[in-house]
Amino acid sequence: EVDLVESGGGSVQAGGSLTLSCAASGLTVADSTMGWYRQTPGDQCELVSRYSSDAITYTKDSVKGRFAISRDNAKNTLYLQMNSLKPEDTGVYFCVAPRSRDDTLTIWAVCGNRFRYWGQGTQVTVSS
């Protein structure tokens, strides 16, 4: 059974930093494509950053230069370092892994859909 446990969310002022962590069990982070999604109003989630199984990363344009995704294979953990946070970064962030190797994690997804593994989500609140 795959379990993704996020931590590191919280409330900060604009310009602050947070580091999200996703501890994985039941899958090997080094062998998996994994990503961070943020929930938008409604049930849609947008991909913020992705770390592919072949070590290629993707980062959404609006957070490039501020957010960085990384992984620690020894700890089997995925991270999202968020710097220079803005109020528009506020939201619930989910750690996600695909159930199928053919799934590369699309830009948009229905939050919590059954085709992927989802963490419980962690709230990030940035105040101005």
Side-chain angles (χ1 to χ4, degrees), residues 4 10 21 25 29 47 51 69 74 76 83 91 93 98 111 120 126:
L4 305 174
S21 300
S25 60
V29 167
L47 182 66
Y51 203 120
I69 193 169
N76 213 39
N83 299 323
Y93 285 71
C111 300
Q120 81 281 6
V126 185

Side-chain angles (χ1 to χ4, degrees), residues 7 10 13 18 20 31 39 42 56-57 61 73 76 85 91 118-119:
S7 61
Q13 291 193 327
L18 287 171
L20 304 185
D31 296 336
Q39 187 168 15
I56 296 174
T57 61
D61 283 346
N73 296 339
N76 213 39
L85 282 160
W118 295 76

Side-chain angles (χ1 to χ4, degrees), residues 34-55:
M34 296 184 69
W36 291 95
Y37 280 82
R38 180 174 62 221
Q39 187 168 15
T40 61
D43 64 352
Q44 292 295 310
C45 274
E46 183 180 14
L47 182 66
V48 175
S49 194
R50 175 181 62 214
Y51 203 120
S52 299
S53 56
D54 54 1

Side-chain angles (χ1 to χ4, degrees), residues 41-125:
D43 64 352
Q44 292 295 310
C45 274
E46 183 180 14
L47 182 66
V48 175
S49 194
R50 175 181 62 214
Y51 203 120
S52 299
S53 56
D54 54 1
I56 296 174
T57 61
Y58 160 86
T59 303
K60 182 175 180 292
D61 283 346
S62 64
V63 304
K64 275 183 181 176
R66 300 189 296 119
F67 289 16
I69 193 169
S70 63
R71 67 189 186 192
D72 186 327
N73 296 339
K75 294 183 178 180
N76 213 39
T77 299
L78 183 75
Y79 300 96
L80 185 67
Q81 176 67 46
M82 304 188 294
N83 299 323
S84 302
L85 282 160
K86 302 177 180 180
E88 53 263 42
D89 297 323
T90 294
V92 180
Y93 285 71
F94 295 93
C95 176
V96 181
R99 291 181 181 266
S100 167
R101 286 195 174 273
D102 295 332
D103 183 357
T104 57
L105 296 185
T106 51
I107 301 300
W108 290 97
V110 174
C111 300
N113 75 72
R114 61 186 177 88
F115 300 104
R116 295 167 178 163
Y117 299 108
W118 295 76
Q120 81 281 6
T122 186
Q123 176 71 45
V124 171
T125 303

